Amino acid sequence: MNLTEKETLLEQANRYITENKAKVVADYRHHYHVMAPIGWINDPNGFVFYKGEYHLFYQYYPYDSNWGPMHWGHVKSKDLLHWEDLPIALAPDQDYDKSGCFSGSAIEKDGHLYLMYTGHVEENGVVYQRQCIAVSEDGIHFEKSDQNPVIGEKLLGEHGSIHDFRDPKVFRHGDTYFSVVATKSAADHGKILLFSSKDLIEWSFYSVMLEGNDSQGIMWECPDFFRLDGKDVLIMSPIQIPKRGHEFHNISSTIAYIGTMDWSTGKFQVENDHEIDGGLDFYAPQTLEDDQGRRIMIAWMQMWDRTRPPHDLGHNWSGAMTLPRQLHVKNQCLTQVPVSFVYENMVNEKELHHLVLKDDPYCLTQDLGDNVVIELEADFSDGASLAIQVAKNEMAALKIIYNKAKQLLTISRENVGHLICGNEEPQLVARSMDVRLIDGKLKLEMFRDTSSLELFVNDKQTMTITFYEIAKGKEVSLHSEGKVVITELKMSHLTV
C-alpha cells in the first residue's frame, strides 16, 4: 500500500489493520491468548503495569503472516485474560530504525511511559543495532526521543558487536535506571551488558554482566533481570544451545539463571540454571512486576524456523502469546503457575474424586470444546504410567504421558493435524521433561485454547505446545499401565 499525502508509516499500518483484519480466517484463533488482529507476531515487548492496567507490546508485521520490518503492536488488559487491541505504538520510520523497531521493554517514570527498543538498520547487507527511547503521556501515543539512539557504538565500545546488539530490558535499582542488553563476543558466545542512567536518556556503560561459552549457544536474546524471593534472576533466550539431557531440544531455547548480583562490580554470579519451559513452542519470555508485587511472565507461543500452518493455509495471521504466569523462586529454581485471574474466570463442568485406573481406559468427555481447562492429581503404584489423550479422534490425539519408573513426562503432537517441522529439527514432534512426584502425587493443569495446550506441572514446571487439527478431536481419555488413582479430576472452561 502506498502512503497517502502526509500519511505516516504509523498511520498507514493502523489503517491497513482496520481495512483488512476481517480477512483473517479464525479457524485456529485463540479465545484468551494475545494475538494480533492480522499479520505476524513474535516477541512480547514492553510488558508493564501502567496506570492500573497491564500493557503488552509485541513484535509485529501487519502486512503479511511472515516476519517483516518490525512494528510494535499493542494491547492492554485489566485481568491478563480479556485484552483490548490498541493502535500500533511504533513503526520503523526513522533513519536509526528504518529496517525495524526490534524488541525492548517499558518502564514508568514521572507518570510517563518510556519504551526502550532496538533500532535495526540494514544497509548493503550489513546490520547495525542501537538502543532507542520513545515516550508517552497516555500509554498509547508515543514520541521517539530526538536524542536517539541513546546507546550506540560509542558506549558499546569493544564490549560487543554493533551487528548483534539488541533487546534492552530496562529496570530500576535504587535511584538508578539500568538496562540489560544482549550482544555477542568475537568468539560467537552470548554476552549480557549492563548500562546505567539517571533519566533514561543519558546512558553510561556499567559492566559485562555475564558472558557465555561454547556450551551456552551462539547468541543470547531477550534478556530480563529481576529480584525475586531473595534471589537474583536472569532469563534469556539462547540460540543453538547444545542439548543437555532432556533440556534445550528446540533450536531456539529459553533459560533461567538463578544467582546473586554483585552491584559493586556489575557481575552476576550464577548458582543454578535450567530451561524455562519444556515444550515445543515457547520463546523470548518477558516479565513485569504489578501493583501487588507479583512477578508475571509472558512469552511468544511459537518457534523460529518451523512451518506455520495458519500462514501456509493463507489464514493471514501467525503467532500468539502464552498464558501469563506468576513466578517464584523455590529451591534455586524458577517456578510457574497460572495467574490468579484464570481461576476467577473458570466455570466448572465436571468433577470427580477417587477414580481408579488399572489398564482400562476412561473417557472424561466426548464433547471437548476449544476452551477447556483440565486439572488432575494422580497417585501412582510402583512402575505405573498414565497416558492422557486430548483432542482425540479416529486418527490421532495430543498425548501427555507420565512414566513413574523413569520420572519422565512427555508431550507429543505426532500425527496431530498439520505437520509442524523445520529443516534443523524435522522429527521434533515431542518433548520430554524430568518430573519427580511430590508426596507421591503428580499434579497437572492443562489449558487448551483452540490450537494450543499449556501444561502446568506440580505448581512449578511447564510445557507449551501448539497443534493445528485437520479433523476436530472431541474426546479426552485417560489410560494407565498399572494402578493409578486419580484423587482429583476437574474439567472447566474459561469465561472470555
Side-chain angles (χ1 to χ4, degrees):
M1 181 184 297
N2 295 323
L3 288 175
T4 61
E5 187 177 0
K6 295 184 179 180
E7 184 179 41
T8 67
L9 287 174
L10 198 63
E11 291 168 339
Q12 175 197 17
N14 285 311
R15 176 164 61 87
Y16 178 86
I17 293 167
T18 299
E19 294 175 354
N20 291 276
K21 62 184 180 181
K23 298 177 182 178
V24 165
V25 178
D27 293 1
Y28 298 120
R29 302 269 295 177
H30 300 289
H31 295 272
Y32 55 87
H33 287 80
V34 171
M35 310 182 74
I38 187 173
W40 164 278
I41 183 174
N42 63 285
D43 303 356
N45 297 156
F47 193 31
V48 67
F49 190 80
Y50 177 69
K51 294 185 176 180
E53 295 178 302
Y54 298 91
H55 286 253
L56 176 66
F57 303 81
Y58 51 84
Q59 290 287 276
Y60 187 32
Y61 187 60
Y63 303 110
D64 197 349
S65 50
N66 266 328
W67 186 92
M70 286 291 98
H71 300 55
W72 272 39
H74 188 193
V75 292
K76 69 175 182 177
S77 173
K78 293 185 181 297
D79 64 2
L80 295 167
L81 283 177
H82 301 84
W83 295 92
E84 176 188 349
D85 287 317
L86 296 173
I88 289 177
L90 301 176
D93 54 10
Q94 303 296 318
D95 287 343
Y96 53 76
D97 63 15
K98 62 184 179 181
S99 303
C101 299
F102 274 22
S103 288
S105 53
I107 195 168
E108 182 178 0
K109 177 180 177 292
D110 300 329
H112 293 64
L113 188 59
Y114 285 69
L115 305 183
M116 190 173 194
Y117 70 98
T118 297
H120 178 78
V121 175
E122 187 170 350
E123 295 177 331
N124 301 317
V126 180
V127 167
Y128 300 89
Q129 296 180 334
R130 306 170 180 94
Q131 315 319 313
C132 306
I133 290 287
V135 188
S136 172
E137 294 182 2
D138 61 5
I140 298 175
H141 304 94
F142 291 84
E143 293 290 333
K144 295 177 182 178
S145 171
D146 58 11
Q147 296 187 52
N148 282 338
V150 296
I151 304 177
E153 289 91 334
K154 183 178 179 180
L155 289 182
L156 176 62
E158 299 299 317
H159 299 295
S161 169
I162 196 67
H163 312 299
D164 285 290
F165 180 45
R166 54 186 178 269
D167 309 338
K169 180 58 169 28
V170 62
F171 61 96
R172 186 170 181 170
H173 177 72
D175 61 355
T176 303
Y177 296 97
F178 290 90
S179 184
V180 285
V181 188
T183 187
K184 65 162 54 174
S185 68
D188 276 345
H189 295 153
K191 204 172 186 181
I192 302 300
L193 305 181
L194 193 61
F195 296 86
S196 64
S197 174
K198 291 296 184 181
D199 62 2
L200 296 171
I201 301 297
E202 297 291 335
W203 290 84
S204 301
F205 175 80
Y206 193 79
S207 68
V208 176
M209 187 176 180
L210 189 67
E211 185 170 353
N213 55 43
D214 288 341
S215 68
Q216 295 172 314
I218 63 171
M219 176 68 190
W220 290 343
E221 293 191 313
C222 304
D224 192 349
F225 180 77
F226 50 90
R227 187 161 182 83
L228 183 62
D229 298 326
K231 301 302 299 183
D232 293 313
V233 182
L234 177 65
I235 66 174
M236 64 181 77
S237 299
I239 299 172
Q240 294 182 25
I241 185 172
K243 297 175 184 176
R244 186 177 68 187
H246 295 295
E247 292 185 306
F248 311 124
H249 284 234
N250 297 323
I251 192 168
S252 297
S253 301
T254 58
I255 193 168
Y257 289 103
I258 314 297
T260 302
M261 180 66 177
D262 184 341
W263 285 103
S264 65
T265 63
K267 301 291 184 182
F268 182 66
Q269 181 64 45
V270 177
E271 298 163 9
N272 186 38
D273 68 79
H274 57 86
E275 189 172 22
I276 297 174
D277 185 279
L280 288 158
D281 296 284
F282 183 96
Y283 194 68
Q286 189 170 109
T287 75
L288 62 73
E289 184 178 46
D290 70 5
D291 60 334
Q292 298 181 46
R294 297 179 296 189
R295 180 62 57 172
I296 299 170
M297 179 179 71
I298 199 167
W300 181 39
M301 194 164 58
Q302 195 172 284
M303 185 52 62
W304 291 111
D305 301 319
R306 291 185 188 151
T307 53
R308 291 169 284 110
H311 168 73
D312 297 337
L313 295 168
H315 288 191
N316 295 312
W317 68 273
S318 181
M321 298 300 168
T322 65
L323 190 69
R325 306 163 181 192
Q326 185 173 349
L327 304 180
H328 284 287
V329 175
K330 297 179 181 178
N331 299 320
Q332 293 282 61
C333 290
L334 194 66
T335 69
Q336 306 172 57
V337 295
V339 289
S340 60
F341 297 115
V342 166
Y343 302 103
E344 297 167 12
N345 287 270
M346 280 169 50
V347 175
N348 189 15
E349 295 178 350
K350 189 173 186 177
E351 190 167 355
L352 298 170
H353 303 276
H354 198 75
L355 172 66
V356 179
L357 301 174
K358 192 172 183 181
D359 302 323
D360 293 325
Y362 173 79
C363 180
L364 176 60
T365 181
Q366 291 182 315
D367 189 24
L368 177 66
D370 284 344
N371 173 8
V372 172
V373 183
I374 300 169
E375 305 166 84
L376 68 82
E377 287 190 3
D379 215 334
F380 290 75
S381 64
D382 290 341
S385 63
L386 172 66
I388 305 167
Q389 297 188 81
V390 180
K392 181 181 178 183
N393 58 36
E394 293 180 358
M395 302 296 294
L398 197 68
K399 295 178 182 177
I400 302 159
I401 302 169
Y402 183 71
N403 185 302
K404 180 182 177 181
K406 296 181 179 180
Q407 298 186 103
L408 201 65
L409 184 68
T410 300
I411 189 167
S412 172
R413 63 182 173 208
E414 186 174 11
N415 299 322
V416 178
H418 296 280
L419 179 65
I420 302 172
C421 63
N423 293 329
E424 299 294 326
E425 45 186 24
Q427 302 302 317
L428 190 60
V429 295
R431 288 286 310 271
S432 295
M433 186 169 67
D434 295 310
V435 172
R436 294 188 177 185
L437 300 180
I438 297 178
D439 297 325
K441 293 184 181 296
L442 175 70
K443 179 182 178 182
L444 299 178
E445 293 178 277
M446 294 163 272
F447 290 80
R448 186 265 174 93
D449 190 359
T450 311
S451 56
S452 68
L453 186 77
E454 291 174 85
L455 186 61
F456 292 80
V457 186
N458 289 339
D459 291 330
K460 61 179 183 177
Q461 297 166 280
T462 61
M463 302 180 87
T464 304
I465 194 168
T466 62
F467 61 104
Y468 300 90
E469 300 170 275
I470 297 172
K472 280 282 188 180
K474 296 293 187 181
E475 184 178 326
V476 178
S477 66
L478 291 75
H479 187 277
S480 72
E481 292 186 6
K483 184 180 178 181
V484 176
V485 178
I486 308 297
T487 54
E488 300 285 342
L489 178 60
K490 183 188 298 184
M491 186 172 72
S492 310
H493 72 270
L494 284 170
T495 56
V496 290

